[in-house]
Amino acid sequence: MEPLLFCVYRRRGDTNLAFQAGLGVTLALITFATTLSNAFVIATIYQSRKLHTPANFLIASLAVTDLLVSILVMPISALYTVSQTWTLGQVVCDIWLSSDITCCTASILHLCVIALDRYWAITDAVEYSKKRTPGRAAGMIATAWVIAISISLPPFFWRQVKAEEVTSCNVNTDHIFYTIYSTFGAFYIPTLLLIALYGRIYVEARKRILKQSHNKPGKRLTSAHLITNSPGSVASTTSLNYGTNDSSSCDTTSSANVSQVKVTVSDALLEKKRISAAREKKATKTLGIILGAYIICWLPFFIYTLLVPVCESCFHPELFDIFTWLGYLNSLINPIIYTMSNEDFKQAFHKLIRFRCCRA
């Protein structure tokens, strides 16, 4: 009987070890992919002068923040998730928790900063183009980090040094007011702001697209054909009928009095507006995808974080780990969305890859 029980326990132990190994490899791959993708976004913006704009500086700062999540937070979290026991001591625990709260909150607030910049650019384009400077972008980035740090600092004021060996490392949920303050400051308020800003951006972008799609009323177009051998921008040769709709102007020779004049009209401005409208539409769509991914990744974690202090029996370590890593996954999704949806990023990214390959 004893050998049989020993075999059962050994099989369970082997299964557990196999699961831990698989989990460790999966989390390590996610961490590595997050580091690599964000590093490439930063390198792409740094290498390409075309991308040296205040808007892209905000995206680069978001990539730096997500890179810090992948370097300072995710590796230790992966070790803790796999082992389910904290073995790194109280000091490392405090540093890790503060880094986790600060970097993840800063990442979320960067999305707000990018949305705010986009909102001002689309609703007050002329005035904001004068104010949209690298200095202003730096100020917005600094504000995001100050708010993030102010959310991560309070736990240090009531931290108690434990004499016994530390076996777990979690944010203290006994202070319900801090839990409310941190969750609302880090997620709920930024999310409401993002939804409000995106709503306004969508409405304004929609207005612009519809406005540019309608032709302005003018002289009646009777015939037109494209000049294909024009060396410059797109052009057209147009026959225009000049006349009035007044009955007093009509006579028996009205058909003879209608003058037909052939003119060449440059459509460079119209083409530019069309391209601008297409970019506006794509940028708005990208912002919507980023907002959707962010809510899907972080909403379960913050709902659960608010639920645990009220219902202690609802806490399950495995569920908490799943929601935590779903939130971390947002730091991997952000650079992928920006790289895949922006043509300038794609071109600069491909140039960077070719440059690296040639040097190798």
Side-chain angles (χ1 to χ4, degrees):
M1 187 68 181
E2 286 182 4
L4 182 61
L5 286 173
F6 176 75
C7 289
V8 170
Y9 287 134
R10 186 177 178 182
R11 284 176 186 173
R12 286 179 180 175
D14 291 343
T15 304
N16 190 40
L17 284 173
F19 173 76
Q20 285 182 320
L23 180 63
V25 170
T26 303
L27 298 183
L29 287 174
I30 293 172
T31 303
F32 178 72
T34 306
T35 304
L36 193 65
S37 58
N38 284 290
F40 265 115
V41 168
I42 296 164
T44 301
I45 294 173
Y46 177 77
Q47 290 282 347
S48 177
R49 288 186 177 276
K50 189 179 180 181
L51 297 177
H52 289 184
T53 63
N56 287 329
F57 290 155
L58 296 177
I59 294 172
S61 184
L62 172 64
V64 170
T65 307
D66 288 333
L67 182 66
L68 289 175
V69 172
S70 69
I71 294 172
L72 300 178
V73 180
M74 293 172 72
I76 296 176
S77 181
L79 178 65
Y80 188 32
T81 301
V82 172
S83 65
Q84 290 296 313
T85 304
W86 186 261
T87 58
L88 301 176
Q90 184 68 53
V91 175
V92 177
C93 174
D94 292 337
I95 294 171
W96 175 65
L97 285 178
S98 62
S99 299
D100 188 353
I101 297 169
T102 303
C103 294
C104 291
T105 303
S107 178
I108 291 170
L109 293 176
H110 268 76
L111 296 179
C112 291
V113 165
I114 292 169
L116 196 59
D117 173 76
R118 184 88 188 123
Y119 168 74
W120 284 329
I122 201 170
T123 57
D124 191 17
V126 178
E127 286 298 319
Y128 187 60
S129 62
K130 301 172 187 175
K131 303 174 185 176
R132 205 180 196 183
T133 61
R136 188 184 181 93
M140 295 168 76
I141 292 166
T143 302
W145 278 103
V146 167
I147 296 171
I149 292 169
S150 70
I151 290 172
S152 66
L153 279 180
F156 282 98
F157 294 109
W158 57 72
R159 183 180 69 86
Q160 295 178 352
V161 180
K162 298 177 182 178
E164 69 274 10
E165 187 180 354
V166 179
T167 57
S168 64
C169 182
N170 298 299
V171 177
N172 192 346
T173 57
D174 294 338
H175 295 77
I176 186 66
F177 290 110
Y178 171 72
T179 303
I180 294 170
Y181 163 73
S182 61
T183 52
F184 272 80
F187 178 78
Y188 292 107
I189 293 174
T191 301
L192 290 175
L193 179 62
L194 276 170
I195 292 170
L197 288 172
Y198 178 68
R200 288 295 302 276
I201 290 168
Y202 178 80
V203 169
E204 289 296 325
R206 189 73 179 165
K207 282 181 183 177
R208 285 191 179 190
I209 292 163
L210 290 173
K211 188 177 179 181
Q212 290 173 358
S213 63
H214 291 301
N215 293 323
K216 291 182 179 179
K219 297 177 179 67
R220 205 166 95 188
L221 185 67
T222 57
S223 64
H225 67 274
L226 293 175
I227 297 176
T228 55
N229 59 351
S230 174
S233 60
V234 181
S236 63
T237 298
T238 311
S239 295
L240 297 174
N241 286 342
Y242 294 96
T244 60
N245 293 328
D246 251 348
S247 59
S248 59
S249 64
C250 297
D251 53 30
T252 54
T253 59
S254 60
S255 59
N257 291 336
V258 175
S259 58
Q260 290 197 354
V261 183
K262 285 191 176 183
V263 293
T264 303
V265 182
S266 175
D267 288 336
L269 185 61
L270 294 174
E271 185 68 14
K272 190 177 180 181
K273 285 184 177 180
R274 187 187 67 78
I275 293 169
S276 176
R279 283 183 176 177
E280 208 76 62
K281 187 175 181 181
K282 195 166 186 179
T284 306
K285 185 180 177 182
T286 302
L287 199 60
I289 294 170
I290 290 169
L291 177 62
Y294 152 74
I295 290 174
I296 291 170
C297 287
W298 280 115
L299 185 61
F301 174 82
F302 281 99
I303 289 176
Y304 198 63
T305 303
L306 270 183
L307 181 66
V308 168
V310 180
C311 174
E312 291 184 6
S313 60
C314 299
F315 180 77
H316 300 285
E318 296 81 6
L319 195 59
F320 183 79
D321 289 337
I322 291 170
F323 290 157
T324 300
W325 276 92
L326 185 61
Y328 292 157
L329 203 62
N330 189 233
S331 293
L332 171 61
I333 292 172
N334 286 335
I336 292 173
I337 293 172
Y338 278 115
T339 305
M340 296 299 292
S341 62
N342 190 309
E343 288 299 326
D344 292 337
F345 266 101
K346 276 185 185 178
Q347 292 172 10
F349 185 74
H350 289 318
K351 284 181 183 177
L352 181 68
I353 293 291
R354 286 197 295 269
F355 177 73
R356 297 293 181 193
C357 291
C358 291
R359 288 193 68 178

